Amino acid sequence: MKKNKINLFIIIFILASFSSCNNYDSASEINLTDNWMFRSVDNQQWNSATVPGTIHIDLMRLGIIDDPFYRLNEHDVQWIDKKDWIYRTSFELTEDVLNKQNSYLEFSGLDTYAKIFLNDTLLANTNNMFRGYNIDVKDFLKLGTNKLEVLLESPIKKGIEKHDQLGYSIPVSGNDLAEIGKVEGNKRVSVFNRKAGYHFGWDWGPRLVTSGIWKHVKLKSWDQFKINDLYIQQEILDETAILNASINFTVDKDIVSKDIRADIIVDGNLVKTSAVKLKSGENNLEVPFEIKDPKLWWPNGMGEQALYNIEVRLSSDNYHATASHRIGLRTIELVREPDSIGTSFYFKVNGHSIFMKGANYIPQDVFLARPKKVNYEYILSSAQEANMNMIRVWGGGIYEKDKFYDLCDEKGLLIWQDFMFACAMYPGNKSYLENVKQEAIENVKRLRNHPSLALWCGNNEVLIAWNNWGWKDGVIKNQSKEIADTIFRSYEDIFHKILPDVVKEYDNTRSYWPSSPGSAFGETQKMESGNAHFWWVWWGKKPFDSYNDSIPRFMAEFGFQSFPEFNSVKKYTLPEDYSIYSDVMKSHQRSSIGNKTIEEYLLRDYNKPKDFENFLYVSQLLQAHGIKIGIEAHRRNRYKCMGSLYWQLNDCWPVASWSGIDYYGKWKALHYNVKDVFSNFLISHEIKNDSLEIYVISDSLIDINAKLQIDLIDFEGNKINSWGKDILANANSASLKMKISSNDYLDHTILERTFLYLTLRDFDNKILADNKIFFKSYKDLNLPEPNIEYSIAEKENHFEIILETEKFAKNVFIVVNSSNNFSDNFFDMIPNSKKRVKIQKEPNLDFKLFKKDFKIITLDQTY
Ligand code: BMA
């Protein structure tokens, strides 16, 4: 009855208000992506340009520079960042646009120092690539041709200027001192620019300090009113979701209609209408509304990702304006409560504590306009397929583009979002702080409607560097105590005041965490509280087993490097470069201890590979092996540790790095492997006091009856012993399920030729998880030659490979010249087993070509 009354009211209101006339969209826009030309300031020759884009890409397209990713070409293009560049375009305007009451230019992203001229008048100066700039141009537009110019000043020259003005030195990680492209007097200028830190070189990235109009440019015009921002807040999530739409809009001073209507439309259905009185200038409107029987949004692996499209429509007699967001309904909280260990650090989603499985993400390219929707789709689908539920957007890159977060919403990938600060201290003058504040406000407002966004984090490794890497002591020693205090005051201003205040004011349902790693505000990492980065493996040369003894509350970084596969390496090298110590391979490795460290660890566990191609392959096995030990340790200890994010998901150019997916999109052994190690069910073991302890880990939200089976098998397939047990895989837990005394398996065994095969099956005999335990390191195994038999078949959309083996086959790597990945690769085959894998077809790879380059590598053939 009540509902009918409301509907009637809505209908009468609509009819009464808008029975007669035309209702125009108050806004119009022109995309300014065409006719762009560019030149360097000291050269009169204009050339065609791409917008959005960057200078390096334009120069490359024109053949002025060679691809900086190929061999050593990066070294030859270092002159580009020391010059100023001009971009210009022209566009035609008609009376229609000129008659609009308001017009502004919208620059969504300018990298970084831009002077903007319209019809020869300087209208704006920008200095932050993470902000957008809206420039009022109403009085500067004219009928017919309009000329738009953007002068991009050298970020290096500007950085040096700011560096010299400061009067003291700020500690910065050594990245921008890469031999390549040294900056005048070795001045560390990256921190003075609000520009992606990795552009200045990182320990996995080239030094290519580009500039450009890296996001779109539009001329936008409007009459009467314009919606600036829409924020959908979830007030209560119960049988009914109670929501609130906060609408910020501007009303023109020549206001015609005093009354408008605000409609809320959910998935195309009008759910609320309110009458609104206008005032000229800025207006804020709050409209509460409801969604009945809400469907919840869940992280990947836990349930569906239900999404609702919420549209707000403001209408007067003659005009309307709309804005919309796609939201998901879920609760999320970072739980930090004192407990018997210290203080917890875990995420609770929809009331359930959830173990976070994922990786750190860096931008997909040095040249940011290059990755397209398909690339975002690809990398995030890869994360989803590998059973990840969290991605950390690391602070030396960028606040990603909207499509990144849209895809994370769709795929159930929660986002740990760093603000863009990494491995450096920062200046603290007033204008810098104000710039940071505006950057934070804009990005928080842009991203806060995404259900995937889980946490705001102030910075990457700034606090730990100051306290534990000798930075503070260095400043006190080489400069003064006062300067050290000044530098740390800037730290506190940014990370303990400005950023948390912005999060509190604009996104108060989400937590803010000041620094990763850290144990509390201003306190460096501890294993008992907060989150950790663990680099004793790799940087500290400790064995992979040390992951087992260093369990933090939440692991946000740990990693180990590998090379891309041979087919990828061939894309940026020549045959004369095929040695890991060639100049080209060394240049495509940016960790100071890089290739030697891979080799050192490799020789601990594996036989020396016989050639370059096999070295690349074994390096991937090594990386996968190491990270598996880490992830299993974190998951086994979930009573203490509630997250395992390894360093790093992807690459921004072709390089040896910690990534699991190479620049060309090829999954390394690691990425294939984490798919298993991150799956909802895992069997993992520990050897304690001469007994083997078997853990079953379940991230499922329901208890499951299952069979745990352990078989002692030799490489020829003879079963030597076995143990089995029905168990309950308890929901959302890790528990010890079986103990076997080591005498039971060690006594009757030739350790070099035997392994334990662990399986967890449901009562339909479906494998939920499996794992293997070897008794010797891989180099001491007596691996048989498996002589795998295989067939390749062409299907409608994919090629299918069926493999069969009688003997044990270690790390079967199917090599093809395709940019796609297999359903599985780098896998072990137990004796007398069969495996079916597939790979999607590509337009340029017919069956003949596919078979031509097909081969199989196994570990036993590599030495
Ligand atoms: C981490 C990151 C990066 C770095 C990586 C490997 O700590 O935060 O700065 O690339 O280590 O050294």
Side-chain angles (χ1 to χ4, degrees):
M1 181 63 189
K2 203 171 153 204
K3 196 175 163 199
N4 286 344
K5 255 191 193 162
I6 295 172
N7 285 345
L8 196 64
F9 167 78
I10 292 174
I11 293 163
I12 293 171
F13 187 85
I14 295 170
L15 291 175
S17 322
F18 307 102
S19 47
S20 56
C21 47
N22 290 333
N23 195 277
Y24 300 102
D25 195 337
S26 80
S28 67
E29 64 178 48
I30 301 175
N31 234 329
L32 300 180
T33 40
D34 296 335
N35 308 322
W36 284 91
M37 307 287 281
F38 83 116
R39 65 177 172 85
S40 78
V41 164
D42 55 6
N43 182 339
Q44 293 315 306
Q45 172 67 43
W46 288 97
N47 283 305
S48 68
T50 317
V51 168
T54 70
I55 288 163
H56 288 71
I57 295 292
D58 280 332
L59 292 170
M60 207 173 18
R61 181 178 39 81
L62 292 165
I64 297 173
I65 60 166
D66 291 327
D67 178 2
F69 290 0
Y70 185 69
R71 301 194 78 221
L72 301 175
N73 289 350
E74 175 202 5
H75 303 222
D76 300 331
V77 297
Q78 297 299 323
W79 53 274
I80 297 169
D81 60 42
K82 313 312 175 284
K83 283 187 186 290
D84 297 339
W85 299 85
I86 307 179
Y87 277 67
R88 77 158 193 219
T89 188
S90 59
F91 55 94
E92 301 295 317
L93 285 188
T94 57
E95 294 278 359
D96 286 5
V97 177
L98 284 181
N99 288 342
K100 289 267 182 193
Q101 290 163 323
N102 304 277
S103 284
Y104 64 100
L105 278 170
E106 181 186 83
F107 285 91
S108 298
L110 287 161
D111 178 8
T112 290
Y113 295 99
K115 285 190 160 51
I116 294 154
F117 299 85
L118 181 65
N119 296 325
D120 296 321
T121 308
L122 173 64
L123 294 184
N125 265 297
T126 76
N127 61 356
N128 190 331
M129 80 173 278
F130 306 125
R131 290 173 61 186
Y133 293 90
N134 289 348
I135 302 158
D136 184 359
V137 291
K138 172 71 187 155
D139 298 338
F140 302 93
L141 293 174
K142 56 184 192 194
L143 194 64
T145 308
N146 288 261
K147 192 169 96 186
L148 177 62
E149 266 188 1
V150 179
L151 169 66
L152 294 163
E153 294 175 284
S154 152
I156 298 301
K157 287 198 289 191
K158 293 296 268 185
I160 290 175
E161 232 172 80
K162 288 167 191 259
H163 173 279
D164 292 351
Q165 277 161 16
L166 191 72
Y168 57 86
S169 284
I170 295 185
V172 183
S173 253
N175 309 306
D176 59 352
L177 291 181
E179 279 305 305
I180 309 153
K182 256 188 190 166
V183 174
E184 179 197 306
N186 280 357
K187 287 175 182 167
R188 299 177 175 208
V189 299
S190 54
V191 292
F192 298 95
N193 302 323
R194 292 309 297 147
K195 171 169 173 61
Y198 81 111
H199 282 172
F200 296 84
W202 216 268
D203 58 4
W204 34 258
R207 185 192 181 283
L208 291 165
V209 193
T210 197
S211 294
I213 303 170
W214 72 287
K215 288 189 175 178
H216 72 243
V217 188
K218 290 179 178 172
L219 175 67
K220 290 192 163 178
S221 304
W222 57 280
D223 284 322
Q224 294 286 307
F225 44 83
K226 166 176 90 80
I227 301 179
N228 305 315
D229 186 61
L230 168 64
Y231 177 26
I232 310 295
Q233 283 156 292
Q234 174 188 297
E235 309 277 350
I236 296 170
L237 182 55
D238 217 322
E239 276 161 24
T240 296
I242 310 224
L243 304 157
N244 183 57
S246 300
I247 309 150
N248 173 276
F249 60 103
T250 306
V251 175
D252 191 78
K253 52 190 180 317
D254 298 324
I255 183 171
V256 175
S257 167
K258 293 278 179 212
D259 297 308
I260 59 166
R261 197 180 91 211
D263 294 335
I264 307 285
I265 300 149
V266 177
D267 288 341
N269 301 312
L270 180 67
V271 299
K272 182 84 182 259
T273 285
S274 339
V276 184
K277 285 244 164 294
L278 295 185
K279 63 174 186 352
S280 88
E282 195 171 327
N283 289 242
N284 284 305
L285 176 65
E286 307 289 323
V287 186
F289 66 102
E290 292 179 0
I291 296 179
K292 296 238 155 40
D293 303 321
K295 290 199 196 74
L296 296 188
W297 183 96
W298 288 94
N300 185 28
M302 307 269 96
E304 298 287 300
Q305 288 77 48
L307 295 166
Y308 291 92
N309 194 59
I310 315 286
E311 184 182 323
V312 164
R313 185 181 168 99
L314 303 182
S315 331
S316 69
D317 295 356
N318 321 85
Y319 288 101
H320 67 264
T322 56
S324 66
H325 282 304
R326 204 179 45 169
I327 62 153
L329 302 171
R330 90 284 178 276
T331 57
I332 187 158
E333 117 198 58
L334 170 66
V335 182
R336 298 200 58 242
E337 281 165 356
D339 57 20
S340 60
I341 305 166
T343 307
S344 68
F345 191 104
Y346 68 90
F347 291 89
K348 216 178 210 182
V349 182
N350 298 332
H352 297 274
S353 55
I354 294 195
F355 188 97
M356 292 301 157
K357 299 176 283 195
N360 286 267
Y361 168 90
I362 61 167
Q364 290 170 64
D365 205 300
V366 172
F367 305 119
L368 287 161
R370 204 147 57 172
K372 298 286 178 279
K373 175 121 197 256
V374 328
N375 307 94
Y376 281 94
E377 172 69 42
Y378 179 81
I379 202 79
L380 294 168
S381 293
S382 296
Q384 180 193 34
E385 283 169 41
N387 294 313
M388 296 185 181
N389 57 15
M390 179 175 262
I391 300 289
R392 174 170 174 239
V393 178
W394 166 80
I398 55 167
Y399 306 92
E400 263 297 345
K401 295 177 189 170
D402 293 340
K403 51 183 158 248
F404 176 91
Y405 302 94
D406 286 342
L407 287 162
C408 290
D409 294 345
E410 288 166 19
K411 297 176 189 304
L413 297 167
L414 288 164
I415 296 300
W416 171 308
Q417 178 70 48
D418 283 1
F419 284 96
M420 291 303 123
F421 300 89
C423 303
M425 304 306 289
Y426 291 87
N429 50 304
K430 234 172 139 195
S431 59
Y432 187 87
L433 296 183
E434 184 51 33
N435 197 0
V436 164
K437 182 174 171 187
Q438 290 313 319
E439 163 191 325
I441 293 173
E442 269 182 40
N443 284 289
V444 169
K445 284 168 77 176
R446 182 168 68 89
L447 304 184
R448 63 188 171 180
N449 289 294
H450 288 278
S452 54
L453 189 69
L455 178 76
W456 290 102
C457 173
N459 66 67
N460 174 72
E461 295 187 343
V462 177
L463 187 69
I464 196 171
W466 181 249
N467 287 328
N468 298 13
W469 299 357
W471 287 10
K472 179 177 162 190
D473 296 343
V475 173
I476 296 175
K477 188 166 157 241
N478 302 324
Q479 302 187 68
S480 71
K481 166 91 172 60
E482 288 66 41
I483 291 177
D485 290 345
T486 306
I487 291 175
F488 198 66
R489 210 171 310 121
S490 312
Y491 178 90
E492 292 187 307
D493 284 343
I494 298 174
F495 303 110
H496 294 174
K497 290 193 194 114
I498 294 173
L499 298 180
D501 285 355
V502 167
V503 172
K504 201 161 165 204
E505 185 172 348
Y506 295 93
D507 192 15
N508 71 356
T509 61
R510 285 194 183 83
S511 296
Y512 170 82
W513 183 242
S515 186
S516 183
S519 57
F521 265 65
E523 288 176 29
T524 21
Q525 84 172 36
K526 284 196 199 98
M527 291 295 170
E528 297 74 31
S529 66
N531 79 321
H533 295 185
F534 183 79
W535 283 105
W536 286 102
V537 171
W538 183 261
W539 290 106
K541 305 280 177 80
K542 286 209 177 175
F544 292 128
D545 274 344
S546 55
Y547 288 134
N548 289 320
D549 317 318
S550 311
I551 307 292
R553 307 311 303 261
F554 190 106
M555 188 68 100
E557 275 189 23
F558 65 109
F560 194 85
Q561 281 204 358
S562 70
F563 292 95
E565 65 176 78
F566 192 38
N567 276 332
S568 292
V569 169
K570 282 189 213 160
K571 296 192 168 127
Y572 62 92
T573 55
L574 286 175
E576 66 218 63
D577 308 322
Y578 295 169
S579 143
I580 63 161
Y581 297 113
S582 67
D583 287 347
V584 171
M585 290 303 286
K586 278 196 311 201
S587 190
H588 287 252
Q589 160 65 270
R590 289 302 158 86
S591 169
S592 53
I593 58 168
N595 294 351
K596 272 214 161 341
T597 302
I598 300 178
E599 185 171 37
E600 184 185 322
Y601 273 81
L602 189 145
L603 296 177
R604 290 180 197 173
D605 279 322
Y606 293 88
N607 290 300
K608 193 176 166 64
K610 60 186 175 201
D611 58 21
F612 181 65
E613 177 175 4
N614 281 295
F615 196 100
L616 306 180
Y617 157 70
V618 180
S619 81
Q620 294 200 8
L621 307 184
L622 171 73
Q623 177 192 37
H625 163 70
I627 300 311
K628 177 172 185 281
I629 293 175
I631 296 171
E632 286 194 21
H634 304 146
R635 292 191 66 183
R636 259 196 331 270
N637 289 286
R638 68 169 279 157
Y639 79 95
K640 180 179 183 193
C641 175
M642 282 298 283
S644 185
L645 311 182
Y646 64 83
W647 185 268
Q648 69 203 69
L649 181 68
N650 58 323
D651 277 326
C652 68
W653 80 313
V655 67
S657 83
W658 297 268
S659 76
I661 303 176
D662 77 22
Y663 174 70
Y664 305 105
K666 296 299 289 186
W667 289 12
K668 296 179 177 176
L670 171 63
H671 200 82
Y672 283 104
N673 211 245
V674 291
K675 196 171 170 177
D676 287 338
V677 195
F678 277 157
S679 113
N680 268 0
F681 296 98
L682 174 73
I683 318 178
S684 181
H685 79 282
E686 243 175 310
I687 295 181
K688 267 195 198 149
N689 309 325
D690 287 338
S691 68
L692 183 69
E693 303 191 342
I694 310 287
Y695 284 78
V696 170
I697 295 115
S698 165
D699 289 344
S700 162
L701 296 181
I702 47 171
D703 291 343
I704 294 201
N705 289 305
K707 287 185 282 187
L708 181 61
Q709 174 75 24
I710 297 164
D711 295 320
L712 183 65
I713 315 177
D714 70 19
F715 290 159
E716 269 70 36
N718 302 306
K719 201 184 264 189
I720 300 160
N721 204 344
S722 60
W723 300 261
K725 192 177 179 186
D726 290 350
I727 60 137
L728 186 70
N730 311 71
N732 225 5
S733 70
S735 23
L736 178 61
K737 292 294 180 189
M738 204 192 272
K739 270 190 188 185
I740 304 174
S741 156
S742 52
N743 297 334
D744 289 355
Y745 54 86
L746 291 182
D747 281 1
H748 335 275
T749 307
I750 303 167
L751 300 178
E752 295 76 21
R753 298 187 63 80
T754 320
F755 66 104
L756 288 169
Y757 183 52
L758 288 60
T759 52
L760 183 72
R761 291 171 196 265
D762 64 13
F763 279 84
D764 296 326
N765 226 21
K766 194 180 123 215
I767 293 196
L768 300 172
D770 68 350
N771 213 334
K772 274 167 254 83
I773 301 172
F774 298 93
F775 308 113
K776 290 273 175 187
S777 86
Y778 301 130
K779 68 178 172 191
D780 296 323
L781 293 180
N782 195 350
L783 291 171
E785 219 177 289
N787 295 326
I788 296 169
E789 307 246 321
Y790 65 87
S791 62
I792 314 175
E794 181 172 15
K795 303 280 164 168
E796 196 182 331
N797 299 315
H798 64 269
F799 299 118
E800 182 184 81
I801 326 299
I802 299 178
L803 306 104
E804 267 182 90
T805 185
E806 284 177 3
K807 295 180 182 175
F808 181 66
K810 185 102 194 76
N811 300 116
V812 180
F813 176 30
I814 310 173
V815 188
V816 286
N817 211 346
S818 160
S819 51
N820 292 329
N821 294 301
F822 282 97
S823 51
D824 199 1
N825 214 346
F826 300 94
F827 45 82
D828 293 347
M829 288 180 75
I830 61 166
N832 303 313
S833 68
K834 199 169 176 176
K835 174 105 182 168
R836 184 190 301 259
V837 294
K838 44 185 188 171
I839 187 165
Q840 235 192 322
K841 284 188 189 168
E842 284 176 282
N844 299 330
L845 198 68
D846 64 19
F847 194 35
K848 218 167 134 200
L849 216 59
F850 179 81
K851 284 195 289 190
K852 183 174 154 271
D853 290 318
F854 184 98
K855 68 175 171 185
I856 289 176
I857 305 182
T858 46
L859 181 62
D860 56 286
Q861 303 163 13
T862 58
Y863 42 91

